[in-house]
Structure formats: structure tokens, C-alpha cells
Amino acid sequence: MRVSLTPLRAAARGLGLAYGLASMMGSVMASGLVLGLVQPAAAQAQAAARGLPDFADLVEQVSPAVVNIRTTERAGEAARGPFRRRSPLPSPPGEEVPRGEGSGFILSPDGFVMTNAHVVEGANEVYVTLTDKREFKAKIVGADERTDVAIVKIEATGLPWVKIGDVGKLRVGEWVLAIGSPFGLDSTVTAGIVSAKARETGSDVPFIQTDVAVNPGNSGGPLLNVRGEAVGINSQILSPVGSFVGISFAIPIDEAMRVAEQLKATGRVVRGYLGIQPIDVPRELAEEYGLAKGKAKGAFVRQVVSGTPADKAGIQPGDVVLAVNGRPVDGAVDLRRTLGALKPGAAVALQVNRRGKLLDFKASLAELNPQVAAAGERSSEAASEPRSAGAAKAWGLSVANLSDAERQALRGANGVRVSAVSGGAETAGLRPGDVIVAVGTTDVTDVKQFDAVVSRLDKAKSLPVTVLRGDWAQFLRIPALK
């Protein structure tokens, strides 16, 4: 069964929705839960006795500030994603056709509306509908794909707006509500609790996890605390079927507001860029480097992009970044968020573990450019005449000295090039052309020194190496041959 994080853009309405609602009502009646519908007074009395909250006043207060957002595109244009709504009948080229639906909420009386970036992505036109049925054509002020936050503007004044809450005071187990337009059903209210905070999913956002029922079309709607304040933006669900199964995620409102202020001011978000590609520290490397027990802290530098602040500062692939400006780094995602929250030009002090040694570096951040940040792997140059390292044969390795051209390509780095692999080295994933820059915590300079280091090691144990493949670093343990 495939489980995926799914943006909550609305699916098309029609017989499928009617059938789903009918099936749901049939299940409710079969289970006997319909008694709660025909005996509302008794149900309310039971709820009051249990101390359950009553959200009626809150919903009445906040609902007018929650909007439905629908988008259109021109017929004949290519689809821009998996959630595009298609008309059952072809339309003449250039005609405006539905694309998708979502939700949003008003930030201020002058018409600024917050939603998800994926709700308005690729739209030719955006329409905002209020609860009083007034509809406005909206202008996209800006959208930020990395956090999935967007701001649109409608020309109106005196509008109701949603108050912003304090995420720092939000507690796991606290009641929260979602208001939005699941499957196009405007002003739908659902409730649940906060299941977790700062939930990591690999993105740049530390999500709020809840069990509030949200579905396609809830995207961009507010997650509200019991005081009627927005504490998040409903954004994704974890589901094997594309609809709610008990886990939903909201963007914390403090993260969203930081992005919103930049979007309102300039239409885009600028982030600091160091020029590295980090991953979480591998457990084996943490043990070899003597890092903290338990969950390894820091971020392992897989790549340093040439000409970037990290390159100029002296950061190398294989380094482990432990702290930024004195603040400990919890992992790769934490490092990306920390650097991204800083402005271009900001000075940063970095504490780095390089093969067990603590080093300090200073850099001045550049501006994040997605094309530069996604710089890919660069292939190694062709090998020259190999020169085997006899002491490494127990691990299935033959190595050679680097040529001058290879050293230049590696920006002067030392190491030895892998010329042939077999046995343990092949099992570990090494390839000819890889460059071994360290054995354990010892830097490698050339074949002679590599032989001397390896010859002192127990050939019955694994060989710990830091390897460069193109610009990318990884830490491996090569098992010994039996």
C-alpha cells in the first residue's frame, strides 16, 4: 500500500461525491450513530457532561473570514500538475476552464488573503468567494513553493479577518479546528486535536500534525485554536488513497507570516545560501568521529558547490556542520531552515567537525538561487595508469594517485582515486573513479601514505572511508574479505 503526502486541492464534484456521501450516511445509520441526530438535546447534554468544547460561537465569529478559492486556465494549455480539474467536454482553445479549488483566509480588512502556493500554482485567473457569496477576481501577490505559502489580493475594504495566534503556546493534545471547502463544500468545519508539533517530513517546514479531518479542497484554509486564532495553514495529508485517513499537516502560522511579509513587500522570498548539499549524519560516521551518542547531531556535507560562500570559506565535502552562529544544528533539514531564515549578505560562524577535529569557519551568505542550489553531480575525469595499493587488497581496493587535472577539479583536495574494486569494496558500493579522501579520521594525501595508514588496520574489520564521487561526499564502511 502506497502512502503519500498529498496536497489538498479539491477533486471534481459529481456522482462520485454524491455516492461517497450516501455511503457514509448508510454506514452511520447502520452503526446506530444516527441516534445522535434525532436526539440533539440528549447528545448536547452528554457532551456538556463530558466537558467537551462547544465551537459554535467560534465558528460563527471566524467563518466570514474564510474564503473559497477557485482557479482557471485557458483551454488547450498543457496540464501543470496532477490536481488539474478537467472538463468532461472539450472547450475551444483559449476559453477559460476550471482548474481547481481550495481555501484561504483573510489577513486584513484591505483584502490580503493567505492560501497555499499549490492552490494558485499555474492558474491564469484566481477567484475568491466570501461566505456572503460575493466573488472577486484576485491578483497573485506572490507564492513561495518551498513553504507552500501564497498571498492573493482582492479589491475590497472593511472585510472580516482572522486573528493570528501564537504557535509557541500551542500544545500537543489541544483542540483545533479547520474551516475550508473540501470537495467544494464551502464553509465546512471539522475539529480534532494537535497530534504532534514540528513534525519532520523532509521539507523546509516543521509541520503541525493533527487528526482534524481535512480533504482535497481544504488546502489554504486556517487551522484555528479554541480562541479562534489561526495557528496554521492546512496543507497536506498522509494518505494511501488521497483522502483523509486520520493524519493531516498544517504549516505553522509563524513560518507562514514570515513568508507573507516578504511576499507582500516584494512579491518573492529571499533566503541565505551557503552552497552546500547536507544530509543527516550517518550513524557509522557519528561513531567514527566521536559525535554524541544517541541521535547524531549536525549535518554531513555531501557537496560543496564551486564558487559559493562555503567553497570560499574552506568547507569541504565530508565535513559535519555542528553549529551556526553558536546554535546547534539538529540535522540536515534544521541546517537548511537556519540558513534559509537568514538574509543574503548575513555573516555566519560555522563550527565543523572534520575527521574528528573541531574547526571554525566564517562565511557571508549569498542569495539562494534554485538553479545553483540544485547543482548536480559532476563526473570524474578519466583515470590514468593505476597504481595498486597492496595493503588495501584485503578490502578489494586498488587505488592510484590523483593527476594534476583531477586535483584541480577537486579544488586542490588530496586523496587517492579508486582504480578497481572487488569483494568488500564492490559490496559497499565503491566505483572506479571514486576518490578516497580519508580513512577513518585520517586525511589521505597519496597512495604511499594511504598504504601506510591502511597497513596498520585490522584486516578482519571494516575499513571506514570518506569518498568523493564527483562533487558528492559519502561515508562508507568496506567489509573485509572472508
Side-chain angles (χ1 to χ4, degrees):
M1 181 179 291
R2 187 178 176 213
V3 179
S4 61
L5 286 170
T6 307
L8 301 173
R9 200 184 319 238
R13 287 173 284 181
L15 293 178
L17 176 59
Y19 175 80
L21 290 174
S23 299
M24 179 182 69
M25 289 303 297
S27 299
V28 169
M29 293 177 70
S31 67
L33 294 179
V34 74
L35 292 176
L37 299 177
V38 299
Q39 295 179 334
Q44 289 180 12
Q46 291 175 3
R50 290 193 298 267
L52 295 178
D54 183 345
F55 301 119
D57 290 340
L58 184 158
V59 171
E60 186 176 341
Q61 171 192 345
V62 178
S63 286
V66 181
V67 303
N68 171 266
I69 296 178
R70 66 180 182 90
T71 61
T72 65
E73 62 184 3
R74 301 297 177 189
E77 294 187 357
R80 298 182 193 66
F83 294 96
R84 175 176 179 257
R85 290 181 59 187
R86 293 175 175 83
S87 171
L89 297 176
S91 300
E95 183 176 316
E96 194 173 295
V97 296
R99 186 175 185 279
E101 291 187 22
S103 306
F105 56 100
I106 301 170
L107 288 178
S108 57
D110 54 352
F112 283 100
V113 176
M114 180 176 283
T115 186
N116 284 144
H118 74 257
V119 170
V120 298
E121 177 190 8
N124 290 112
E125 302 291 350
V126 177
Y127 296 92
V128 170
T129 304
L130 309 185
T131 55
D132 62 8
K133 306 306 179 183
R134 286 184 293 166
E135 183 173 84
F136 300 85
K137 182 179 288 189
K139 173 187 175 183
I140 300 176
V141 176
D144 180 54
E145 182 179 356
R146 292 176 73 92
T147 55
D148 197 21
V149 173
I151 297 294
V152 302
K153 178 73 165 62
I154 60 176
E155 294 303 319
T157 58
L159 297 172
W161 76 96
V162 177
K163 295 179 180 179
I164 303 302
D166 185 347
V167 176
K169 295 180 180 178
L170 191 67
R171 301 172 63 195
V172 174
E174 180 177 334
W175 281 98
V176 283
L177 286 81
I179 305 179
S181 304
F183 302 107
L185 301 172
D186 298 351
S187 300
T188 295
V189 182
T190 51
I193 63 167
V194 176
S195 304
K197 293 179 63 177
R199 178 65 76 195
E200 300 289 359
T201 64
S203 79
D204 284 358
V205 176
F207 286 105
I208 301 168
Q209 179 185 330
T210 79
D211 68 352
V212 178
V214 294
N215 280 290
N218 274 111
S219 273
L223 182 71
L224 303 161
N225 62 22
V226 293
R227 291 172 293 282
E229 301 164 336
V231 292
I233 311 174
N234 297 307
S235 176
Q236 296 181 347
I237 56 176
L238 186 65
S239 171
V241 294
S243 58
F244 181 71
V245 294
I247 299 176
S248 56
F249 298 100
I251 303 162
I253 198 65
D254 55 347
E255 300 272 342
M257 290 303 294
R258 280 195 288 268
V259 170
E261 291 306 316
Q262 289 198 56
L263 293 178
K264 288 165 65 175
T266 64
R268 67 189 189 99
V269 178
V270 294
R271 294 182 171 89
Y273 178 57
L274 184 61
I276 63 174
Q277 294 286 353
I279 62 171
D280 289 338
V281 177
R283 179 177 55 81
E284 296 87 352
L285 181 141
E287 294 172 354
E288 189 69 30
Y289 283 16
L291 298 176
K293 302 297 182 182
K295 183 180 184 296
K297 303 293 184 179
F300 179 77
V301 178
R302 286 204 65 197
Q303 182 194 33
V304 176
V305 181
S306 180
T308 61
D311 184 28
K312 296 173 182 176
I315 304 295
Q316 296 179 4
D319 288 346
V320 176
V321 180
L322 300 177
V324 176
N325 293 336
R327 178 184 177 275
V329 172
D330 191 54
V333 173
D334 183 41
L335 178 60
R336 291 203 308 267
R337 289 178 187 151
T338 299
L339 296 172
L342 299 173
K343 296 292 182 66
V348 292
L350 305 166
Q351 185 184 58
V352 168
N353 184 311
R354 178 176 295 168
R355 265 79 83 180
K357 300 175 183 176
L358 292 181
L359 303 173
D360 293 314
F361 297 93
K362 293 186 182 298
S364 179
L365 297 181
E367 181 177 341
L368 178 65
N369 179 326
Q371 294 178 340
V372 173
E377 179 177 342
R378 185 172 64 229
S379 60
S380 300
E381 296 189 15
S384 56
E385 186 67 23
R387 185 144 46 103
S388 294
K393 287 185 177 179
W395 291 277
L397 271 176
S398 291
V399 300
N401 283 321
L402 297 175
S403 67
D404 290 341
E406 287 169 332
R407 289 183 187 279
Q408 185 176 1
L410 295 171
R411 300 189 292 281
N414 290 317
V416 292
R417 174 177 29 81
V418 176
S419 54
V421 294
S422 63
E426 187 173 18
T427 300
L430 268 76
R431 305 175 189 170
D434 289 346
V435 177
I436 297 175
V437 296
V439 175
T441 58
T442 303
D443 290 336
V444 172
T445 57
D446 55 26
V447 167
K448 182 178 180 180
Q449 184 255 2
F450 177 77
D451 267 336
V453 171
V454 173
S455 65
R456 296 193 294 268
L457 302 178
D458 186 346
K459 295 178 176 54
K461 295 182 178 180
S462 62
L463 180 67
V465 293
T466 301
V467 177
L468 285 180
R469 179 171 296 158
D471 279 342
W472 296 87
Q474 57 185 321
F475 180 83
L476 300 170
R477 283 192 180 274
I478 305 173
L481 293 175
K482 301 297 185 183

